[in-house]
Amino acid sequence: KSVVRSLWKGSLSVGMLSPRLQTAMKDYLNNNKHGVAYRGHRKAQQSGQQVLCELKKGEKVRTLDGAEMPFFKLGWQKIVPALPLSQLYGPGFQTCAVVTSAGAMLHSGLGKEIDSHDAVLRFNTAPTEGYERDVGNKTTIRIINSQILAHPKHQFNTSSLYKNVTLVAWDPAPYTLNLHKWYSNPDYNLFTPYMKHRTHFPKQPFYILHPKYIWQLWDVIQANNLENIQPNPPSSGFIGILMMMSLCEEVHVYEYIPSLRQTDLCHYHERYYDAACTLGAYHPLLYEKMLIQRMNVGSEDDLKRKGKVTLPGFKNVHC
Ligand code: C5P
């Protein structure tokens, strides 16, 4: 498909998307649900190295530490894990795999390669059971959005998906970073289930990403575009890739930039078809992907055959 070929080249414009996706994107721009008011610069056409440096300059992965209001007065300093995520793994991992949930993971046969990494990151409800050949079975960290914690259908408390792994949850806060407003009106109430889970399983590392971290990543995506991108947080995929670049020497990302297996199948584990899952509607996914592709130091063959992007950890980025 021509859209995917343009993504491989890193030169995709919104005009190439279907009218339906273009309309959805415009609606999100007009709605501006999170009150985004971007005041930064815009530098289109930075090189991959320049983008890497800009991202490295930003905050290392940051999680709620309970020191700020309203979390401080609610006693969260005793609720959050003693070690922040940035310190949990000491010097960090050598090699890390980020496994997106894209339908193109199906029939990839990448399971063994994925499991050979020191750490594997997965997303939301993505299973390994029954899909080991294609996605592997090792999970080190799982990023979950607030809906997983809040909606009963996900059975957060009982499902094995959320056991024996490090959990990292997130929810879109206002762009102004008003934590009071966020606490009283999150997208989905993740705070109550988080507290409850921390109390029941204090030994399981479980973090909530700081909204500052998420919006700072969004700012970099916007800074690298002349067009206005969707004023909504980056996808879990983008957040996860950047998080692993802070924790690992080298990061391999699978089926974020689609391979030749590209499909409208939304997730490898569900029979639901929608091109928006790969190209974006709510999330500024297209712009995220062009930025990641620009930083890719892996081969064209890896990208086309495996949907694999190779990124240096920030420790190995010298600016
Ligand atoms: O849908 P979900 O957010 O759980 O998927 C995890 C991540 O995988 C997404 O945030 C997105 O970055 C990536 N993804 C993708 N293409 C798809 C499905 C997911 O790039 N078709």
Side-chain angles (χ1 to χ4, degrees), residues 98-104 122-126 143 145 148 170 234-241 254-258 262-270 274-280 283 285 288-289:
V98 176
V99 186
T100 71
S101 311
R122 299 183 195 275
F123 298 96
N124 295 318
T125 63
I143 293 195
N145 58 42
I148 308 275
W170 72 276
S235 72
S236 299
F238 188 81
I239 297 170
I241 293 166
Y254 295 93
E255 288 294 358
Y256 182 68
I257 313 293
Q262 193 269 334
T263 162
D264 283 352
L265 180 66
C266 182
H267 293 132
Y268 66 81
H269 54 93
E270 273 175 344
D274 187 348
C277 297
T278 305
L279 301 173
H283 297 294
L285 205 52
E288 303 174 5
K289 291 188 180 195

Side-chain angles (χ1 to χ4, degrees), residues 134-187:
D134 295 330
V135 305
N137 66 13
K138 176 173 177 172
T139 307
T140 315
I141 307 179
R142 187 176 287 273
I143 293 195
I144 52 179
N145 58 42
S146 48
Q147 197 183 347
I148 308 275
L149 289 157
H151 199 295
K153 77 174 174 193
H154 294 300
Q155 305 191 300
F156 176 67
N157 289 317
T158 50
S159 167
S160 62
L161 286 174
Y162 313 109
K163 297 193 194 314
N164 302 314
V165 296
T166 292
L167 292 173
V168 179
W170 72 276
D171 179 83
Y175 185 77
T176 56
L177 304 176
N178 183 327
L179 300 184
H180 294 275
K181 265 200 194 149
W182 181 42
Y183 187 77
S184 62
N185 190 27
D187 232 20

